[in-house]
Each structure stands twice: as C-alpha cells, then as structure tokens.
Amino acid sequence: MIPQNITYIRPDTLKEAWDAWQTAHEQGKEVYYLNGGTETVTYARQNKIHPQVLIDISRLPSSIYQDFLN
Amino acid sequence: MKGYRSIGISSPRADAQDKVNGTQRYTGDLRIPGMLYTALVTSPHAHARIINIHKEEALEAPGVRAVVTGQDVPVRLGLYLGDKYPLAFEVVRYFGEPVAAVVADREDQALAAARLIQVEYEALPAVRTPLEALRPDAPVLHPQMAEYRHIPAILPEPGTNVANRTRIRKGDPARGFAESSVIIEETFSFPPGDHAAMEVRVAIAEVARNGVVTIHSATQAPFVVRSLMSTFFNIPTGNIRVIALPVGGGFGGKAGIQLEGLAYLLSKAVGGRPVMVRNQREEDMLSSPGHIGLFARVKIGARSDGKLSAMDLEYLFDSGAYADYAVNISRAAAIACTGPYRVPHVKADSLCVYTNHPFATAYRGFGHIELAFPIERSMDLLARKLGMDPIQFRKLNAIQAGDTSPTQQVMDPNTGNLQGCLDRVAEQLNWQEGDRIVVSDNLVRAKGVGCLWKAPAMPTNTDAGAIITFNEDGSLNLTTGVVEIGQGTNTGLAQLVAERFKISPEQVHVLYEVHTDRSPHDWATAASRSLFMAGRAALEAADDAIAQIQRTASIPLACPPEDLEVAGGRVFLKDNPAVGLDLSQVVLGYQYPHGISVGGQVIGRGRYIARHLTGLDPETGKGDPALEWTLGAEGVEVEVNLRDGSYRVLKAVCAMDVGFVVHPALARAQIAGAMAMALGFASREGFLFDERERILNGNLRDFKLYRYGDEPEYLVDFLTTPQGDGPYGLRGLGEQGVIGIPPALANALSRAIGVELTELPLTPERIWKVLPSEKSKNKQEVEE
C-alpha cells in the first residue's frame, strides 16, 4: 500500500497528458507518468518516491504515435 | 492402478475453482470487526546500537492508537532457540529488522505514521560471512546465548557465533583417505535469499476479556504457534486458539513462529482489540526470514575402483541474525551429509552460524537442497578425476537397503531404487548421445545430473490425527491438522478415505481450515510428511468408522457385523449385496419404520505417531532420526553461449522413487514446480549486499525469480518401491524435487564451459567472468 493520497489522471490525448504533467509540475507536485506501475508501487512503498499526481498513459489511443509525429 | 478405484487417479481439487478465479479467501482478506492495522519501522543498518527512538510525532498522527518499541516489550522468543525480540531491543542485527510498530485505525494511517518515527543508531561493524563469524576476533552477536532457552536436540556454543553444531563421526576417515587413490578438495557457497511465496505473511491477534487469545495466521504450523505462544508468554495452551486458513504458498517460510508474537503484543497494547500485522512485500523479503546461505568445505576420497571411501565435510550455514529453523537445518544437513551414497568413513561438522544477514528459516528441501550442491558437484569432480561416467559413478555408489546412513541408521527394506532412478534420468536426457554436444561455433548443449535423498527432519514424537463425521446424505467430513498450502494434501487424503469406502473422492469433504481448538493435533504441515502421517491417521479413522457402520447396520440387518461390507455408499451382505442399507440410513443412527432408533452417529477416529525415531549422539551423531527416505535423481540439459555466458535450460528431468502415486497430476505438478523453484534459486536468486551488508535487491523488481517463459520442458518419472509403513506404500515427495536441480545445473554448465563452477547463483555474468579466454575475446575488450 502507498500511504498517501494520489491524484490519478487518465488523459484521452497526448496533449492532455503533456498539459497535466506541466500543470502538476508548476504546482510543485511530485508527478509521474504511469504505464503499468511496477516501479511506482515498489519505490513508493520503499519510501523512495512520493507521487502526488500519477498520469496514466497506458490507455492512450494507439494513434498517439501518429499525433506525436504530426 | 491395480484394482483401486479412488487412488492413482487425478481427482479434482475441491479448491481449484476458487484458486483459479481469485476467490479463495486467505488470512489477509479477513476483516474482523474492530480490527486495527499496523506498520513497521525497520533497520537501515545490518548491525547497530539503538540510541534513541523518537515516537512523539507518530503518536500525534491521525488514527494512531499506539506506537510500540522493543523497550516496551523486551520478550525474547524463538522456535528452537529463544534468541529474538519481536521488536529489536538495544541492538539491531540485520538490515530490515523491525524496530518499532505503529497501530492505527487504517493501514495507510499506520504506514504514514511509521515514516514519522526517527531512530538514532550507532553503526557497528557487520559480520559478513560464516567464516568471518568464526574468527576468534569476530564480534559475538549474541553475548547472552547462555541464557537462551533451547530444545535439547540442538547444541549452541555460548561465547561464539555458533548456534548449533552437529557432529557426524562414522568409521575411520583417516583410514578411508589412506585407502583412496583419488581425493578432491573444494569449497562451495551460495548467499541467503527469499522464498517469495505469493502470499505475504500475516497474523491477526486478539485478546478476549476472559484471557483467551485468538490468532489467525498464514501459517504451516498452527500447533507449533500455539505451543510457543504458551511457552514464551505464559498463556495456558487451552486459552490459545490458532486458526489457519489456506495459505498462499509456504515453502517452509511459514513453518515456524512468525508475526504471531508481535501481533499478540500489539493487541495487548490496545486493550486486546484485534490487530493485523501484515508484511509489505519488501518486509516479507527482508524483515521476515528467508532462505539460508552456505559455505561448504568438502574433501572426498574414492578408491581406484570408483567406490567412495571417505568424506570430510564442513557445512557452515549462514543463519543470519537469529537461529529460527536454521539450527535444525544445519542438523538435518548433518544427518544426510553424504548425499545418497554408501560411504564407510565420514567426518562432518555442520554448523549454524550467526552473521549480520537477514535470518533464515526452513526452505523447501530443508538442509538437503543445500548439502546436495557441494556433494553432487563433488561427485562430478571425482568422476572426472577417475575417468568415469558421472551417472555410472553414482550408480556404483548409490545407497541401498542394508547400507548405513551417516548417523549409522541401517537403510531398511523400504529403501528406494536410486540406480533405477538414474537409469530413467539417463534415458530422458538421452545420455548415450554424450553430455556435451557442440551445436555451432559458440553454442554447446550440455547435460548434468544430481541425486537426491531426503528424510523428514522432525521431532521424534511427530504425530497426526483425523476425525471423520457424516452428513445426512451419507457423505463424509474429514478433519485433520494439515494446512492447505497449495500442495493439495487434502485432495490426497480424500482419495485415501474414499478408497476405503469405495466411493468417489468428491463424497469426502475435507475441512480446509485448521483450528487448534477442534482439529486433531498435528505437528506441522512441513517435512513432506502430511500425506504419509495424516494419511495413516485418515485410514485408521476410515476403518474405525466402517467398523461402527457395520455394528449399527448389523442390528436391523440381523447379521454379524463382519458379514457386512461398506462400498459405493451402501452397507450390505458380502455374500448377497442386494441385502443392505444406504449409508444415509446408518451413519446418523438407524431409525426403524416405527420410529425407534439405534446406533447413534458414526465418528471415526484415527491417529498416527512416528515410530522408532531417536535423538542423535552429540559426539558421533549416531541415532535413528529418519522416518523414511525418498530417493531420486534429476538432470538438466542446457544450451550455453560460450561467448557471453548466457544460457537456456532446455530440459529438466526427475525420476523419484515415491513408493506409490495417489494423484498423478498433483504429484507431477509438485515435482515440476519444485524443479522450477530450484532453477530459479540456482540460476538467479540470492541477496546482494553492499560493503556494510545492506541488501541491494530487497524487492521483486531487483530480486529476479523464475518467470513464465523461462521454463524448460519438464519430464517427471516415478518409481514405486513400496514404503511398507506408508499409506498404500507411499512416501513423501513435496520438497524433494528441488534438491538435485541446482547441482545438476551447475554440473551441466561446468561441463559446457570446461570450468568448475562452485558458487550460486549461476548468472550469465558469473559464467562469463570465468569463461576460458580464447572463447570470450570480447571479455578482454570490455574489461579494457
């Protein structure tokens, strides 16, 4: 268990994902992208990271690669 | 199989659906009304003095009910040697040792508050290896050892770091070596590690107003827990109830006393409310005990005809900071120290040595997987020196009925057929094509074998019991003290009882929970002895129930009880089966049509206690500690890249003489699973330490286990030399499949690269470092 409250964001587009990170970062929050969670859970449980915002990019539509190129 | 109806078949497991679908309820799933949660503060040092613990801030945190430190509860307890405080008192002796505990309304509150506790330490020099621990100038990690309570079977040496020393003295080793024409001397080692069971350890304790202590625990040994809680906390045994739900993997790691004592102390700190102590995964790996480490010195002599003549063995077990099961692991390794071979002259010293590593407990194979690595590697070294084939060399020396074990116990006529096992392994590995085959420039296939033997290491009065009751429909309920830990013994027990009743095993409902206040006494679900011992008890209970059924039925059927047979859910005249009754009419008493009833309900009782076992002579080890020996042979085939040391295991084979196979699918799965576990242990597991003995890979991200996709083809073969005193001739097979695999892998890899490998784990890096230089030109480039 990770003993703190975490804001979980699941963006629909690459731009939303980008903006969410910027916003959290500007607010001085510890923010990470989440794409599975093995590292996040392991390190948070070991008190090595303290995520306040997690942006879940694991379910972004497969078109994101195209978006990025454009 | 021959005329049997319910055994020798792969009957469905009653718990299969829940396990596969994730709906099995484990101890960690329990939510007892009013239950509080806990979090631990653990040591960042391998060895340090505790100067001060600041708990004020944590006590103010939301939801916190109590913060407890070692100073609040300075009680020492232990399994065989009472050497450990549930929370460190004054000194921490390993990285990850619990120092303080927080009790709170919710788990997240407890974890958050635990982070607010500041502990001041004064770091002390760490003892890094058993060899270091034995030096005269080494720090003595347990200066109060002389005061520790311990069982008589272990022999601690106060003033040193030796928690147990078991001596084996058989024959005249000096003469044996003088008669040897070939002698090898070598050292072998591997580091401590973890079981990595899927379920983390958890215990829930509560203390009722009347003093009754109830403990739910993920334990293989509820009766051991009850007994030790009574001993160390002065609670009458009858006032302790330990409840064991099915366990999500034990592997020995849950066979002793674990978190129960701490849960009890924390419950007392909050007025007896139920308190759950549940490990986080990292705590389960570091704070709770794991797999033992070993440093072994081996000297073995053989005569020119290839017969083993003498062994001089020193096993230094790395027990870590506390003794737990490790003292008995070192003893078990002494009892079986030579491996399954005929050795006339033996000297062995097997020591359990304290270091500043995480402490060790039982691990599948219990001393035997450990000793097999030095012994079976040495057998290959000897065979090479003698110019003999490694399998022929083993067959020549295989132990047989009439030979004596290292403790001078005569191997009885039940002794399994090791030579036959070796033949089957040779066949499965296609040994005759050769044990090293060049595939291409840098690729070779190589094969290696390792033999195994194992007897249960258990108290001489180890017992089991069984109770059979009946339902209105004539079906049976079987209660034993065996814990379901994934092994499936309950299915096997149902089959044994069903065989006696000549019914389908599904008609025998086995209770999948053990309650120490109502289940019959059973030592522990450990040592691969449950189907043997609880099986004997269950058969006696079945026969007892059948006799009662015959007696009751003989009244309305107006015949002598011995004229009746019980089969297929009926009791009937042997010579005229048409005359009889359904069991449903008899098992709760027979009621005549006019209402008058006779007989009462049938309650079958059965028990079994190990026979003929003795302790060991402290000077020579002489004694009869083994209930039965399971023998077998294993082998692997690997494909090795000679440039970079990477390899794949293509095939893992096992032929084991199990006496009788009750459930072929489960028996095969048990052995294939054991081989997978052993391949993980041998190829990649083990803790990595920094220069101050802090662990670098204490999580499942960095501690690599065997994974799906790594698996080779598994070939499992059974031999069936009957065990005369085992149910239908069976003997234990639960742990044994791990034992021969690590040396078999090391033998195959050594054969492949032409360098003798003596350490585990066998990572590609370790192999690459010792590759002969002409084969690995790029190594020098990299090193430069």
Side-chain angles (χ1 to χ4, degrees):
Chain A
M1 177 181 280
I2 304 173
Q4 69 182 70
N5 289 327
I6 296 171
T7 303
Y8 171 84
I9 300 170
R10 200 169 80 208
D12 291 324
T13 67
L14 187 60
K15 183 166 185 327
E16 281 175 35
W18 176 262
D19 291 345
W21 198 91
Q22 290 298 331
T23 307
H25 188 66
E26 279 159 21
Q27 290 170 350
K29 294 198 168 146
E30 198 172 325
V31 53
Y32 299 95
Y33 286 116
L34 182 71
N35 188 14
T38 303
E39 312 287 313
T40 310
V41 170
T42 300
Y43 287 136
R45 218 160 42 194
Q46 287 186 297
N47 207 8
K48 287 177 178 164
I49 63 169
H50 308 85
Q52 292 168 294
V53 179
L54 289 174
I55 303 163
D56 185 352
I57 55 168
S58 65
R59 287 185 240 183
L60 280 180
S62 56
S63 61
I64 58 165
Y65 186 61
Q66 289 296 320
D67 285 351
F68 193 75
L69 287 181
N70 294 337
Chain B
M1 257 174 231
K2 47 183 179 190
Y4 295 130
R5 172 194 169 117
S6 304
I7 52 176
I9 58 161
S10 296
S11 147
R13 289 181 68 139
D15 56 347
Q17 297 282 341
D18 276 337
K19 294 226 164 128
V20 171
N21 289 294
T23 48
Q24 173 69 53
R25 212 168 283 141
Y26 297 97
T27 303
D29 298 318
L30 293 178
R31 295 293 176 268
I32 296 171
M35 187 171 83
L36 301 173
Y37 296 81
T38 58
L40 299 177
V41 178
T42 63
S43 168
H45 298 282
H47 194 198
R49 185 166 301 286
I50 301 169
I51 306 297
N52 211 337
I53 302 178
H54 301 280
K55 57 185 186 182
E56 302 74 21
E57 212 185 329
L59 278 166
E60 297 299 313
V64 171
R65 301 282 174 160
V67 177
V68 180
T69 69
Q71 222 151 20
D72 303 322
V73 286
V75 188
R76 272 195 303 257
L77 57 156
L79 178 71
Y80 292 137
L81 177 67
D83 63 357
K84 187 177 184 306
Y85 298 97
L87 295 168
F89 179 61
E90 295 178 343
V91 177
V92 289
R93 295 184 176 87
Y94 69 98
F95 179 84
E97 178 160 8
V99 173
V102 179
V103 186
D105 291 343
R106 301 200 315 252
E107 189 175 17
D108 62 317
Q109 293 171 331
L111 287 163
R115 293 180 175 184
L116 302 174
I117 294 173
Q118 302 293 324
V119 187
E120 293 171 50
Y121 296 96
E122 178 199 334
L124 299 169
V127 177
R128 302 163 58 106
T129 64
L131 277 178
E132 244 184 68
L134 294 174
R135 285 186 197 148
D137 60 343
V140 175
L141 296 178
H142 289 268
Q144 284 145 349
M145 194 196 286
E147 299 167 20
Y148 294 171
R149 290 205 256 180
H150 67 86
I151 59 162
I154 64 153
L155 305 168
E157 300 180 352
T160 75
N161 288 314
V162 178
N164 176 54
R165 180 192 298 263
T166 304
R167 289 184 181 82
I168 298 293
R169 301 289 183 271
K170 175 186 165 187
D172 180 356
R175 198 184 108 205
F177 284 113
E179 287 170 3
S180 299
S181 61
V182 174
I183 294 174
I184 61 124
E185 286 186 73
E186 190 54 82
T187 63
F188 301 89
S189 68
F190 50 81
D194 190 49
H195 308 77
M198 275 205 273
E199 178 196 32
V200 293
R201 295 165 174 94
V202 55
I204 306 165
E206 58 189 299
V207 187
R209 301 270 168 194
N210 62 4
V212 170
V213 178
T214 302
I215 295 171
H216 288 80
S217 179
T219 177
Q220 297 172 239
F223 291 95
V224 170
V225 170
R226 182 178 71 172
S227 159
L228 293 176
M229 290 294 295
S230 170
T231 302
F232 287 102
F233 296 109
N234 293 315
I235 311 165
T237 322
N239 278 3
I240 307 170
R241 304 163 57 214
V242 182
I243 300 157
L245 302 187
V247 169
F251 311 110
K254 293 165 181 160
I257 187 156
Q258 319 166 69
L259 301 170
E260 298 88 354
L262 180 57
Y264 166 72
L265 292 169
L266 296 180
S267 172
K268 291 230 304 188
V270 292
R273 281 179 68 169
V275 170
M276 174 190 274
V277 180
R278 177 169 53 179
N279 280 342
Q280 305 293 315
R281 170 59 65 183
E282 291 73 25
E283 290 161 357
D284 209 57
M285 300 180 73
L286 299 176
S287 304
S288 285
H291 178 250
I292 204 163
L294 176 68
F295 177 87
R297 277 200 196 96
V298 170
K299 181 181 174 191
I300 306 182
R303 302 187 330 203
S304 54
D305 62 2
K307 290 205 171 139
L308 289 169
S309 175
M311 289 193 183
D312 185 343
L313 311 167
E314 187 178 35
Y315 296 152
L316 307 180
F317 283 95
D318 182 350
S319 169
Y322 300 100
D324 203 83
Y325 262 111
V327 283
N328 199 31
I329 294 172
S330 63
R331 185 175 182 271
I335 289 167
C337 62
T338 56
Y341 303 108
R342 185 185 315 108
V343 189
H345 309 291
V346 184
K347 169 178 183 282
D349 278 72
S350 186
L351 278 69
C352 176
V353 184
Y354 287 126
T355 66
N356 289 117
H357 286 161
F359 68 116
T361 188
Y363 179 97
R364 195 177 199 172
F366 202 80
H368 301 74
I369 180 173
E370 289 83 7
L371 76 89
F373 180 60
I375 290 295
E376 293 297 325
R377 278 264 48 224
S378 299
M379 291 299 281
D380 262 38
L381 297 183
L382 270 169
R384 208 153 294 156
K385 250 187 150 169
L386 286 159
M388 288 182 73
D389 174 82
I391 290 184
Q392 290 309 319
F393 178 55
R394 285 175 170 84
K395 280 180 72 177
L396 179 67
N397 289 289
I399 202 159
Q400 293 171 0
D403 294 333
T404 59
S405 78
T407 70
Q408 305 175 53
Q409 189 170 12
V410 179
M411 302 299 288
D412 68 22
N414 298 310
T415 303
N417 178 5
L418 181 56
Q419 293 181 329
C421 292
L422 280 160
D423 284 339
R424 299 288 272 273
V425 164
E427 204 176 302
Q428 299 277 30
L429 286 176
N430 195 12
W431 192 260
Q432 71 201 35
E433 73 167 349
D435 61 352
R436 187 177 190 279
I437 292 133
V438 177
V439 178
S440 65
D441 252 10
N442 291 308
L443 213 56
V444 297
R445 279 196 292 125
K447 303 163 190 179
V449 298
C451 288
L452 65 90
W453 72 339
K454 186 179 186 299
M458 59 190 194
T460 54
N461 65 343
T462 296
D463 69 340
I467 302 167
I468 293 174
T469 59
F470 289 83
N471 305 309
E472 286 85 345
D473 63 0
S475 65
L476 288 69
N477 308 305
L478 174 65
T479 307
T480 71
V482 176
V483 183
E484 159 56 26
I485 58 172
Q487 85 284 41
T489 302
N490 285 344
T491 306
L493 292 171
Q495 288 179 269
L496 293 176
V497 170
E499 185 62 34
R500 278 293 207 268
F501 276 85
K502 299 188 181 70
I503 53 174
S504 150
E506 286 99 291
Q507 289 290 101
V508 182
H509 307 286
V510 185
L511 186 66
Y512 271 71
E513 295 176 11
V514 177
H515 296 245
T516 55
D517 56 345
R518 65 196 81 149
S519 309
H521 189 268
D522 186 295
W523 167 61
T525 303
S528 307
R529 37 64 70 184
S530 292
L531 196 57
F532 185 123
M533 297 187 68
R536 282 290 301 262
L539 289 177
E540 187 177 88
D543 292 341
D544 182 37
I546 287 168
Q548 294 174 42
I549 289 166
Q550 289 168 322
R551 196 163 57 236
T552 300
S554 72
I555 302 166
L557 293 175
C559 67
E562 59 269 25
D563 286 7
L564 294 170
E565 183 173 344
V566 173
R570 292 178 70 241
V571 51
F572 51 84
L573 286 176
K574 283 177 194 168
D575 49 293
N576 185 6
V579 178
L581 296 164
D582 277 349
L583 285 192
S584 59
Q585 295 172 275
V586 181
V587 290
L588 296 179
Y590 178 79
Q591 188 178 33
Y592 284 93
H594 45 65
I596 288 175
S597 301
V598 293
Q601 68 176 300
V602 175
I603 302 175
R605 303 148 305 166
R607 70 269 186 279
Y608 183 76
I609 190 160
R611 72 179 197 200
H612 299 174
L613 302 188
T614 73
L616 303 181
D617 180 277
E619 297 307 320
T620 64
K622 192 174 192 309
D624 292 349
L627 181 69
E628 44 95 0
W629 290 96
T630 302
L631 283 83
E634 298 186 289
V636 297
E637 180 174 353
V638 293
E639 188 174 75
V640 188
N641 182 321
L642 297 178
R643 280 170 65 88
D644 61 14
S646 65
Y647 63 91
R648 269 191 321 139
V649 181
L650 305 175
K651 213 187 252 188
V653 310
C654 176
M656 200 185 291
D657 196 337
V658 299
F660 179 82
V661 181
V662 173
H663 191 299
L666 272 177
R668 186 192 182 279
Q670 190 77 333
I671 288 173
M675 290 198 280
M677 188 171 182
L679 285 169
F681 163 69
S683 66
R684 66 201 67 182
E685 293 175 26
F687 287 135
L688 298 169
F689 298 93
D690 71 4
E691 71 287 349
R692 292 171 57 200
E693 300 313 277
R694 294 174 298 197
I695 290 166
L696 298 168
N697 59 344
N699 58 56
L700 286 183
R701 183 190 174 282
D702 298 322
F703 189 98
K704 302 297 186 193
L705 302 169
Y706 223 53
R707 291 164 203 264
Y708 290 118
D710 295 327
E711 313 279 353
E713 180 188 6
Y714 295 109
L715 300 168
V716 179
D717 241 342
F718 296 111
L719 279 75
T720 52
T721 307
Q723 180 72 31
D725 53 341
Y728 294 96
L730 71 85
R731 60 176 79 84
L733 62 81
E735 300 166 87
Q736 282 79 356
V738 297
I739 296 169
I741 288 292
L745 180 66
N747 287 339
L749 291 170
S750 299
R751 183 78 183 98
I753 66 171
V755 177
E756 303 299 350
L757 297 161
T758 58
E759 292 173 41
L760 301 176
L762 295 159
T763 58
E765 290 87 340
R766 190 188 294 283
I767 295 164
W768 174 73
K769 279 183 189 161
V770 300
L771 281 173
S773 53
E774 73 272 15
K775 284 285 181 197
S776 54
K777 296 186 187 79
N778 59 343
K779 180 163 66 173
Q780 280 183 334
E781 285 160 27
V782 173
E783 278 172 348
E784 282 157 13

